[in-house]
Amino acid sequence: MLLLTEKKIAVTIKELDSGLGRIRDLSITIGKLSAADWAEPEGPTPYPTLATLRSWDRKLLSRYQPFYMPFCDLCCLCTYGKCDLTGTKKGACGITMPAQQARTVLLATCIGAATHTSHARELVTYAIKKAGRDCPINPGGNAIGVEAPVIRLVCGEKPGTLADLETVLDYCESQITSLLAVTHTGQEGDPLDFESKVLHAGMIDQVGMEVADLAQISALGYPKADPDAPLAALGMGTVDTTKPVILVIGHNVPPSVAIIDYLALENLSDQVEVTGICCTSIDASRYSPRAKIIGPMSWQLRYIRSGIPDVIVVDEQCIRTDALGEAQAVHTPFIATSEKNCLGLPDRTHDPADAIVGDLAGGRQAGVLILDPEKAGEVAVRVARAVMPARKKACTALDPSAIRELASDCTECRLCRRACPNDLAIPQAMKAAGAGDLSRLAGLYETCVGCGRCEQACTKEIPVHSLIVAAATERTKNEKFVIRTGRGAIQDIEIRNVGGPIVLGEIPGVIAFVGCANFANGGKEVAEMSVEFAKRRYIVCTSGCAAMSIGMYRDEEGKTPYERFPGSFTAGGIVNVGSCVANAHIAGATIKIASIFARRNLRGNYAEIADYVHNRVGAVGVAWGAMSQKAAAIASGFWRLGIPVVVGPHGTKYRRMLLGRADHEADWYVHDQRTGEDVYAGPAPEHLFVAAETKEEAMVLVAKLCMRPNDTSRGRAMKLTHYIDIYQRNHGTIPDDIPPYIRTTADIPVTLKGEILRILAQSDWKERPIPDPTLLAHDMPAPQEER
């Protein structure tokens, strides 16, 4: 069979006898995807390069100007340095402090984008090997018509098979290479051009994430846009410790899939526990209901040191680099499975499985590197079953007397508290424990992020983290929660149902809780915020570690948020899209609103769609525990779409915010497409990237940042009601910045009309029209839904 299109030649040979031998099922493809059946016209920016969307970026950056917070006054990137950049000083290459800070942000986002894109390449290669190059991309069957919104928007392509994703990845990889080149000494010098490239890296990151999740959904049979995806077990207390236990850590699911497949093949699925930490556990639960999620990345030390896992299997990303040493301390065999994370282990990939099992189970090797997922899966199962009887699991448990004895060595030097990112009162708790009161140590459990910095700082080498976990033994035994399995994409019908109410402001907003477990006061705050906004009829989306933290919370009736609220993309829903790479579906949902509801063309039409999202879709991201370079890249992808992101206190360590100035009226003008005039629209949204010190401050910011210039009066009144109510609950008064958000008296919430009218009378407020807003050229077409 010969298929010939404008850009692609595909030849398939079923069977051929030749002088070379017999050839069967040979497929040859030359060129790339050409969606000849795609009627949507190509937009102006398919496959944008570094400067293609520079004009759009500068529109955003002129409104949301970078506010730099140097984490270090020096530049140490080349051998000219160290260069002091304080004040007006420049480096030896001529770089200024703002440019250096922007370059550092770009480096972080490049790392994050490279991590997700490299992960996507591995998943596509694995998926093609497992399901074939012609495996159709299928994120939701008939429920999904716009199956790859980010790829369509950025690349102008409509991928149909797994093979088509390779072309998209070629583009992503070339852009990341170019972006990384920008950070070289003597390359870019302007802070805003660095920042534009930060936004470009974030956009590329979203493409890479979408590729990754489309590949694994299509090839591995994950839930496909299922609002009622099943509930999965969550927490250390869900593990049956009478069985052999395998722990998988990381983000790349093939080794976990191989473990689950081998158990099924050998009829051992009910005899071995497969548990996981980080996103690989979420993806394993999408593959099999038997997989159990222990918790976010901050659970690594406590779970490894518990001695419960009989084998530890790691792949890539967010794995403690001392995991091998921690495993050796509790005599747990260790298997690394990624080229990116070899940990100095001997490569046993090509050795017989029997020999590897014998060496690990016999203690002759503490750990091995196996780069074949199937072999790693087989070895993990066999070793776990072999070593479990002798390990006894409880070998590391600290009883109360041991805790008291170790705690009594504490000199209260306070170095542990100084090292703690959350400033926990560790010395006081240690003193109390030494005197026999373990309650204060146990009380630290919920707010501890498991970094272990306290132990590194301790001059007495006290295993502080282990004492905290041991003091909370009863709590860990009862950690039995549920999380809704990652559903993947949002259905088109869901977008049709909520697109109008979101754009018009009648659904007050879409809030995405994402990010790592570097929480200021524990995962409980993420859960509390998600529940509060779901109760207020916002649409709440989540993924990754944040999704786990939301599940680790129960109300007075003992129900988790996933049991209380629906998993559908609707007002009052809590929607777990999946692992980190599934974040692309959250961005994709906002993009699909422009496509499905507003009937805007997506194909290579980035600036117009981003302008639509920014001015009309009340979406806000919350990365309360933002920690990694991947989190920085995820956030920057949302920024380029014009979606604000709120981070917790540690987010300031990213070195800069993107802040608006509500008092600069000139910054808040938009072009009104109905009248052709430039009009003041108010500071909506006020910031693009901002840090909050407390949960209460974050909730106030989120409610305010959901406001958009396009809100109808009914929608604006609803959004103001929530903003004012949350502010009053925390501050006891109405916020003093209400006048800029009132365009006409119809915007005023009915229950607050008298009070707000008095506030308006005391200011120079004047009624103004509600615009049909855009930040782009004056000849933009009016949105289809309003024609």
Side-chain angles (χ1 to χ4, degrees), residues 306-572:
S306 73
I308 293 173
D310 295 298
V311 169
I312 296 173
V313 180
V314 300
D315 46 81
E316 61 166 309
Q317 304 173 35
C318 301
I319 302 161
R320 289 189 61 95
T321 56
D322 61 353
L324 174 60
E326 292 288 341
Q328 289 174 319
V330 292
H331 309 292
T332 303
F334 193 94
I335 302 171
T337 62
S338 172
E339 292 178 339
K340 300 166 203 162
N341 188 28
C342 298
L343 295 171
L345 293 169
D347 188 351
R348 302 292 301 273
T349 304
H350 302 292
D351 292 350
D354 289 347
I356 305 172
V357 171
D359 287 342
L360 286 174
R364 290 183 290 277
Q365 284 187 316
V368 296
L369 173 67
I370 305 176
L371 299 177
D372 177 351
E374 282 70 30
K375 181 174 288 186
E378 177 186 349
V379 170
V381 172
R382 292 176 59 187
V383 171
R385 299 186 73 215
V387 303
M388 184 266 182
R391 291 192 66 253
K392 302 298 184 185
K393 293 193 192 293
C395 60
T396 63
L398 293 171
D399 59 29
S401 62
I403 298 172
R404 287 194 296 271
E405 182 178 351
L406 288 166
S408 64
D409 290 338
C410 176
T411 63
E412 296 184 71
C413 67
R414 301 177 63 87
L415 291 177
C416 55
R417 183 165 187 173
R418 187 177 302 170
C420 176
N422 287 338
D423 190 34
L424 299 184
I426 299 171
Q428 296 88 332
M430 295 289 282
K431 180 179 180 180
D437 178 10
L438 305 186
S439 62
R440 297 187 71 172
L441 264 182
L444 301 179
Y445 177 83
E446 186 173 305
T447 51
C448 174
V449 297
C451 65
R453 291 178 60 178
C454 52
E455 297 183 356
Q456 299 303 311
C458 182
T459 58
K460 293 293 185 177
E461 299 184 352
I462 300 171
V464 180
H465 179 70
S466 292
L467 298 192
I468 293 171
V469 176
T473 297
E474 288 305 310
R475 178 187 172 101
T476 59
K477 287 180 181 178
N478 294 317
E479 280 186 345
K480 298 179 181 180
F481 308 100
V482 293
I483 178 174
R484 192 170 300 283
T485 299
R487 57 164 286 171
I490 309 303
Q491 294 182 8
D492 291 11
I493 187 64
E494 292 175 289
I495 298 294
R496 290 190 184 96
N497 290 338
V498 302
I502 289 173
V503 170
L504 300 177
E506 294 163 5
I507 289 178
V510 180
I511 316 299
F513 289 95
V514 303
C516 317
N518 190 21
F519 302 119
N521 286 297
K524 182 181 178 182
E525 292 191 341
V526 176
E528 289 173 341
M529 286 190 283
S530 69
V531 167
E532 180 66 25
F533 282 110
K535 287 163 60 177
R536 291 175 178 269
R537 306 284 291 165
Y538 289 75
I539 300 173
V540 175
C541 297
T542 187
S543 65
C545 288
M548 299 180 204
S549 292
I550 289 172
M552 291 180 167
Y553 175 83
R554 294 190 185 276
D555 63 9
E556 300 78 11
E557 298 177 5
K559 292 184 177 180
T560 69
Y562 297 109
E563 295 168 295
R564 291 180 57 189
F565 299 95
S568 53
F569 193 79
T570 189

Side-chain angles (χ1 to χ4, degrees), residues 703-716:
K704 181 164 68 168
L705 292 174
C706 282
M707 285 186 268
R708 294 295 186 272
N710 189 66
D711 294 338
T712 62
S713 287
R714 179 183 174 188
R716 179 58 62 88

